[in-house]
Amino acid sequence: MAPTNGAIDLLARFAMSCPGIRTGRAMADDIPFNNTLDLKPDTVDEPVPGVRRVMADNPGPFTFKGTLSYIIGRGKVAIVDPGPDDPRHTAALLEAVRNETVTHIFVTHTHRDHSPAVPAIKAATGATVYAEGPHRAARPLHIGELNPLDSSGDRDFRPDVALKDGEVVAGDGWTVEAVTTPGHTANHMAYAFKENNVLFAGDHVMGWATSIVAPPDGAMSDYMASLQKLTKRGESVYFPGHGPAIQDASRFVNYYILHRKAREASILHRLSKGETDIPTIVRAIYIGIDPRLTGAAGLSVLAHLEDLATRGLVETDGLPAIDGVYRLGRLAGA
């Protein structure tokens, strides 16, 4: 997701700052982030045989050094995430596959730094476009609720083929399995490159920072279920939408899970002292946070509270909302 308005920019900076923010409870969930990516924009490299990548020149607080587009195979190839609507990146991607045939385009999700280049690549190559589906929110908007991330979605995107979980697409010398991973967005899908035992993880898991989960576009319950799903898979390396490849991927995913569970525990600990609102929770669990990031932190807390309310661990009057008052639920002590 590219930072296209103030709310998104704040969410992005919040995600980057989270690893360094102290919380009100001791945490042993430090994620072993890796910020090393030696790749210049709009140049191509081959991190492993059969996988090439080209990075868009769109650095930012959420995109890190830029969005990564991947090329699978040789000769008759597939592209994963053509990237933003940037003619320079599109040209670099097409140059990387000169004298080859692009037969397939796979899209992990429809934030504006991942899918808007699809029409240009499809027009130039005639490739078939595969994805989970169009952009959509994880849940309907509540009465009077505004979606702060509305402008981040590529609402014009439509795949030629909507894939279901576990569907397999075969190319010339390569095979890709669709892996639904909702949470960051409702239509997020990862792709397993079977011959190389790697996973194109999109923005679901990244090696340089945590992923944004913000209602109503994202849902924490979906996100945690998708993380658990990945722990049962065997891919050893993940290629994310931003940042370096993730080695020992299953171990890294478990760090992600511990990180989210620690945030959840901090929220429940604060609520054990009495009912309160989201700004108070943010002040309690994100000690030392930049005041400009409190709104973004509030959306992250709301994502957790929606999940906790569904599980009966937290209660509020009416539906969970950013301006709600929360208390421990009946099942919190069970």
Side-chain angles (χ1 to χ4, degrees):
M1 171 174 55
T4 55
N5 62 28
I8 298 167
D9 184 58
L10 286 177
L11 279 167
R13 283 188 279 151
F14 170 67
M16 291 182 69
S17 67
C18 277
I21 294 172
R22 294 181 296 115
T23 67
R25 290 168 63 85
M27 295 176 66
D29 67 318
D30 294 338
I31 301 174
F33 289 115
N34 177 10
N35 293 327
T36 302
L37 178 61
D38 296 322
L39 180 64
K40 294 181 179 179
D42 296 328
T43 60
V44 62
D45 74 348
E46 188 169 11
V48 298
V51 175
R52 287 169 282 171
R53 61 188 174 185
V54 180
M55 185 174 68
D57 190 12
N58 63 333
F62 187 71
T63 55
F64 190 43
K65 294 185 176 183
T67 302
L68 291 163
S69 300
Y70 294 94
I71 303 164
I72 302 173
R74 289 280 181 181
K76 294 183 179 180
V77 305
I79 291 176
V80 179
D81 281 351
D85 183 12
D86 177 355
R88 294 173 302 168
H89 180 64
T90 298
L93 195 51
L94 291 172
E95 177 64 25
V97 295
R98 178 184 286 197
N99 299 323
E100 298 180 279
T101 301
V102 180
T103 57
H104 299 68
I105 298 170
F106 296 99
V107 174
T108 62
H109 66 296
T110 47
H111 279 150
R112 289 191 177 277
D113 58 327
H114 288 263
S115 59
V118 166
I121 298 295
K122 180 177 173 63
T125 65
T128 303
V129 180
Y130 297 80
E132 191 274 347
H135 190 82
R136 63 186 186 277
R139 60 160 174 78
L141 288 175
H142 303 325
I143 295 175
E145 182 183 21
L146 298 177
N147 183 354
L149 304 178
D150 189 61
S151 64
S152 70
D154 178 8
R155 299 187 181 279
D156 295 327
F157 175 83
R158 297 291 185 278
D160 297 320
V161 179
L163 293 172
K164 296 180 180 178
D165 186 49
E167 283 197 72
V168 173
V169 179
D172 186 5
W174 52 264
T175 308
V176 164
E177 178 190 353
V179 184
T180 52
T181 48
H184 176 65
T185 61
N187 68 347
H188 200 286
M189 178 170 275
Y191 298 98
F193 180 9
K194 306 299 284 185
E195 286 78 3
N196 280 33
N197 195 36
V198 302
L199 185 82
F200 298 100
D203 285 2
H204 186 67
V205 179
M206 298 180 291
W208 69 283
T210 55
S211 183
I212 292 293
V213 182
D217 268 21
M220 189 61 68
S221 56
D222 290 342
Y223 186 73
M224 294 300 290
S226 295
L227 288 177
Q228 291 289 350
K229 178 180 183 177
L230 292 187
T231 65
K232 298 178 174 61
R233 297 189 60 87
E235 289 82 18
S236 57
V237 176
Y238 290 178
F239 287 107
H242 310 272
I246 300 167
Q247 308 293 331
D248 197 1
S250 180
R251 178 173 175 266
F252 193 86
V253 169
N254 278 313
Y255 275 110
Y256 252 52
I257 292 170
L258 287 172
H259 172 82
R260 292 294 182 179
K261 286 184 175 180
R263 291 283 180 260
E264 177 182 294
S266 294
I267 292 169
L268 292 173
H269 177 71
R270 174 57 187 86
L271 291 177
S272 71
K273 299 178 181 179
E275 71 174 21
T276 192
D277 57 13
I278 287 177
T280 302
I281 295 172
V282 168
R283 288 192 296 270
I285 71 173
Y286 295 108
I287 299 170
I289 189 172
D290 184 331
R292 294 172 297 176
L293 303 182
T294 55
L299 284 174
S300 181
V301 169
L302 175 60
H304 277 289
L305 288 168
E306 286 186 344
D307 179 39
L308 291 166
T310 299
R311 292 154 54 194
L313 299 175
V314 163
E315 294 177 353
T316 186
D317 295 328
L319 295 169
I322 195 70
D323 58 353
V325 175
Y326 296 87
R327 54 190 174 272
L328 288 181
R330 291 175 290 106
L331 299 181

Short mmCIF file of all heavy atoms in Angstrom, two decimals, residues 97-124:
data_model
loop_
_atom_site.label_atom_id
_atom_site.label_comp_id
_atom_site.label_asym_id
_atom_site.label_seq_id
_atom_site.Cartn_x
_atom_site.Cartn_y
_atom_site.Cartn_z
N VAL A 97 12.20 -8.74 -19.27
CA VAL A 97 11.68 -9.95 -19.93
C VAL A 97 11.73 -9.82 -21.45
O VAL A 97 11.00 -10.51 -22.15
CB VAL A 97 10.24 -10.27 -19.46
CG1 VAL A 97 10.23 -10.62 -17.98
CG2 VAL A 97 9.29 -9.11 -19.75
N ARG A 98 12.60 -8.94 -21.94
CA ARG A 98 12.73 -8.79 -23.40
C ARG A 98 13.11 -10.13 -24.04
O ARG A 98 13.91 -10.88 -23.50
CB ARG A 98 13.80 -7.75 -23.73
CG ARG A 98 14.02 -7.57 -25.22
CD ARG A 98 15.14 -6.61 -25.52
NE ARG A 98 14.78 -5.24 -25.28
CZ ARG A 98 15.46 -4.20 -25.77
NH1 ARG A 98 16.53 -4.40 -26.53
NH2 ARG A 98 15.07 -2.97 -25.49
N ASN A 99 12.51 -10.42 -25.17
CA ASN A 99 12.71 -11.67 -25.91
C ASN A 99 12.16 -12.89 -25.18
O ASN A 99 12.48 -14.03 -25.55
CB ASN A 99 14.20 -11.89 -26.25
CG ASN A 99 14.76 -10.77 -27.12
OD1 ASN A 99 14.06 -10.26 -28.00
ND2 ASN A 99 16.01 -10.39 -26.88
N GLU A 100 11.36 -12.65 -24.13
CA GLU A 100 10.65 -13.73 -23.46
C GLU A 100 9.15 -13.47 -23.60
O GLU A 100 8.72 -12.40 -24.02
CB GLU A 100 11.04 -13.79 -21.98
CG GLU A 100 12.52 -14.10 -21.75
CD GLU A 100 12.88 -14.15 -20.28
OE1 GLU A 100 13.07 -13.06 -19.69
OE2 GLU A 100 12.98 -15.26 -19.73
N THR A 101 8.36 -14.46 -23.24
CA THR A 101 6.91 -14.36 -23.32
C THR A 101 6.32 -14.37 -21.92
O THR A 101 6.55 -15.32 -21.17
CB THR A 101 6.31 -15.52 -24.14
OG1 THR A 101 6.87 -15.51 -25.45
CG2 THR A 101 4.79 -15.40 -24.25
N VAL A 102 5.59 -13.32 -21.59
CA VAL A 102 4.91 -13.28 -20.29
C VAL A 102 3.53 -13.91 -20.49
O VAL A 102 2.68 -13.37 -21.21
CB VAL A 102 4.76 -11.83 -19.78
CG1 VAL A 102 4.05 -11.83 -18.42
CG2 VAL A 102 6.13 -11.18 -19.65
N THR A 103 3.32 -15.05 -19.85
CA THR A 103 2.07 -15.79 -20.02
C THR A 103 1.09 -15.57 -18.88
O THR A 103 -0.12 -15.71 -19.06
CB THR A 103 2.35 -17.30 -20.16
OG1 THR A 103 3.08 -17.74 -18.99
CG2 THR A 103 3.17 -17.59 -21.41
N HIS A 104 1.61 -15.23 -17.70
CA HIS A 104 0.76 -15.11 -16.51
C HIS A 104 1.16 -13.87 -15.71
O HIS A 104 2.35 -13.53 -15.63
CB HIS A 104 0.90 -16.33 -15.59
CG HIS A 104 0.52 -17.64 -16.21
ND1 HIS A 104 1.23 -18.23 -17.23
CD2 HIS A 104 -0.52 -18.48 -15.92
CE1 HIS A 104 0.65 -19.38 -17.55
NE2 HIS A 104 -0.39 -19.55 -16.78
N ILE A 105 0.18 -13.23 -15.10
CA ILE A 105 0.40 -12.15 -14.14
C ILE A 105 -0.34 -12.53 -12.86
O ILE A 105 -1.55 -12.79 -12.90
CB ILE A 105 -0.11 -10.80 -14.65
CG1 ILE A 105 0.63 -10.39 -15.93
CG2 ILE A 105 0.03 -9.72 -13.57
CD1 ILE A 105 0.00 -9.18 -16.62
N PHE A 106 0.37 -12.57 -11.74
CA PHE A 106 -0.24 -12.87 -10.44
C PHE A 106 -0.21 -11.61 -9.57
O PHE A 106 0.81 -10.91 -9.52
CB PHE A 106 0.51 -13.99 -9.72
CG PHE A 106 0.45 -15.32 -10.43
CD1 PHE A 106 1.50 -15.76 -11.24
CD2 PHE A 106 -0.66 -16.15 -10.29
CE1 PHE A 106 1.45 -16.97 -11.88
CE2 PHE A 106 -0.72 -17.38 -10.93
CZ PHE A 106 0.34 -17.79 -11.74
N VAL A 107 -1.30 -11.34 -8.88
CA VAL A 107 -1.39 -10.16 -8.02
C VAL A 107 -1.68 -10.61 -6.59
O VAL A 107 -2.64 -11.35 -6.35
CB VAL A 107 -2.49 -9.20 -8.52
CG1 VAL A 107 -2.70 -8.05 -7.54
CG2 VAL A 107 -2.14 -8.67 -9.90
N THR A 108 -0.85 -10.15 -5.63
CA THR A 108 -1.05 -10.57 -4.24
C THR A 108 -2.20 -9.82 -3.58
O THR A 108 -2.94 -10.40 -2.78
CB THR A 108 0.23 -10.36 -3.40
OG1 THR A 108 0.56 -8.96 -3.37
CG2 THR A 108 1.40 -11.16 -3.96
N HIS A 109 -2.35 -8.53 -3.91
CA HIS A 109 -3.45 -7.74 -3.35
C HIS A 109 -3.52 -6.41 -4.08
O HIS A 109 -2.63 -6.10 -4.90
CB HIS A 109 -3.30 -7.54 -1.84
CG HIS A 109 -2.13 -6.72 -1.42
ND1 HIS A 109 -0.82 -7.10 -1.63
CD2 HIS A 109 -2.05 -5.51 -0.79
CE1 HIS A 109 0.00 -6.20 -1.15
NE2 HIS A 109 -0.71 -5.20 -0.65
N THR A 110 -4.55 -5.66 -3.79
CA THR A 110 -4.86 -4.50 -4.63
C THR A 110 -4.64 -3.17 -3.92
O THR A 110 -5.47 -2.27 -4.00
CB THR A 110 -6.31 -4.61 -5.13
OG1 THR A 110 -7.17 -4.95 -4.02
CG2 THR A 110 -6.44 -5.65 -6.21
N HIS A 111 -3.52 -3.03 -3.24
CA HIS A 111 -3.09 -1.70 -2.83
C HIS A 111 -2.35 -1.06 -3.99
O HIS A 111 -1.79 -1.75 -4.86
CB HIS A 111 -2.21 -1.78 -1.59
CG HIS A 111 -3.02 -1.91 -0.32
ND1 HIS A 111 -2.55 -2.57 0.78
CD2 HIS A 111 -4.27 -1.47 0.00
CE1 HIS A 111 -3.48 -2.53 1.75
NE2 HIS A 111 -4.53 -1.86 1.28
N ARG A 112 -2.31 0.27 -4.00
CA ARG A 112 -1.92 0.99 -5.20
C ARG A 112 -0.43 0.90 -5.55
O ARG A 112 -0.02 1.42 -6.60
CB ARG A 112 -2.34 2.45 -5.08
CG ARG A 112 -3.85 2.63 -5.18
CD ARG A 112 -4.24 4.08 -5.33
NE ARG A 112 -5.68 4.21 -5.50
CZ ARG A 112 -6.33 4.08 -6.65
NH1 ARG A 112 -5.64 3.78 -7.74
NH2 ARG A 112 -7.63 4.23 -6.72
N ASP A 113 0.36 0.27 -4.72
CA ASP A 113 1.75 0.05 -5.10
C ASP A 113 1.98 -1.36 -5.64
O ASP A 113 3.11 -1.71 -5.96
CB ASP A 113 2.68 0.33 -3.92
CG ASP A 113 2.36 -0.52 -2.70
OD1 ASP A 113 1.17 -0.82 -2.49
OD2 ASP A 113 3.29 -0.87 -1.96
N HIS A 114 0.92 -2.15 -5.78
CA HIS A 114 1.09 -3.53 -6.23
C HIS A 114 0.40 -3.86 -7.55
O HIS A 114 0.93 -4.61 -8.36
CB HIS A 114 0.60 -4.50 -5.15
CG HIS A 114 1.48 -4.57 -3.96
ND1 HIS A 114 2.43 -5.55 -3.77
CD2 HIS A 114 1.59 -3.74 -2.89
CE1 HIS A 114 3.08 -5.34 -2.65
NE2 HIS A 114 2.59 -4.25 -2.08
N SER A 115 -0.81 -3.34 -7.77
CA SER A 115 -1.60 -3.79 -8.92
C SER A 115 -1.85 -2.78 -10.04
O SER A 115 -2.21 -3.20 -11.15
CB SER A 115 -2.96 -4.30 -8.42
OG SER A 115 -3.67 -3.27 -7.73
N PRO A 116 -1.70 -1.46 -9.85
CA PRO A 116 -2.09 -0.54 -10.93
C PRO A 116 -1.32 -0.68 -12.22
O PRO A 116 -1.80 -0.23 -13.28
CB PRO A 116 -1.88 0.84 -10.30
CG PRO A 116 -2.12 0.61 -8.85
CD PRO A 116 -1.48 -0.72 -8.58
N ALA A 117 -0.13 -1.30 -12.23
CA ALA A 117 0.61 -1.50 -13.48
C ALA A 117 0.09 -2.68 -14.29
O ALA A 117 0.56 -2.91 -15.41
CB ALA A 117 2.10 -1.69 -13.19
N VAL A 118 -0.88 -3.41 -13.75
CA VAL A 118 -1.40 -4.58 -14.46
C VAL A 118 -1.91 -4.23 -15.86
O VAL A 118 -1.55 -4.92 -16.83
CB VAL A 118 -2.51 -5.28 -13.63
CG1 VAL A 118 -3.29 -6.26 -14.50
CG2 VAL A 118 -1.91 -6.01 -12.44
N PRO A 119 -2.75 -3.19 -16.05
CA PRO A 119 -3.23 -2.92 -17.41
C PRO A 119 -2.11 -2.70 -18.42
O PRO A 119 -2.20 -3.18 -19.57
CB PRO A 119 -4.09 -1.67 -17.23
CG PRO A 119 -4.54 -1.72 -15.81
CD PRO A 119 -3.38 -2.28 -15.06
N ALA A 120 -1.06 -1.97 -18.03
CA ALA A 120 0.04 -1.71 -18.97
C ALA A 120 0.80 -2.99 -19.32
O ALA A 120 1.15 -3.22 -20.48
CB ALA A 120 1.00 -0.67 -18.37
N ILE A 121 1.07 -3.82 -18.31
CA ILE A 121 1.79 -5.07 -18.57
C ILE A 121 0.92 -6.02 -19.40
O ILE A 121 1.41 -6.67 -20.33
CB ILE A 121 2.22 -5.73 -17.24
CG1 ILE A 121 3.18 -4.81 -16.47
CG2 ILE A 121 2.85 -7.09 -17.50
CD1 ILE A 121 4.51 -4.58 -17.15
N LYS A 122 -0.36 -6.08 -19.08
CA LYS A 122 -1.26 -6.94 -19.84
C LYS A 122 -1.37 -6.47 -21.30
O LYS A 122 -1.36 -7.28 -22.23
CB LYS A 122 -2.64 -6.98 -19.19
CG LYS A 122 -3.65 -7.87 -19.92
CD LYS A 122 -4.97 -7.92 -19.18
CE LYS A 122 -6.03 -8.68 -20.01
NZ LYS A 122 -5.65 -10.09 -20.25
N ALA A 123 -1.45 -5.15 -21.50
CA ALA A 123 -1.55 -4.62 -22.86
C ALA A 123 -0.30 -4.93 -23.67
O ALA A 123 -0.37 -5.19 -24.87
CB ALA A 123 -1.79 -3.11 -22.80
N ALA A 124 0.85 -4.91 -23.01
CA ALA A 124 2.12 -5.15 -23.71
C ALA A 124 2.38 -6.63 -23.97
O ALA A 124 3.12 -6.97 -24.91
CB ALA A 124 3.27 -4.55 -22.91
#
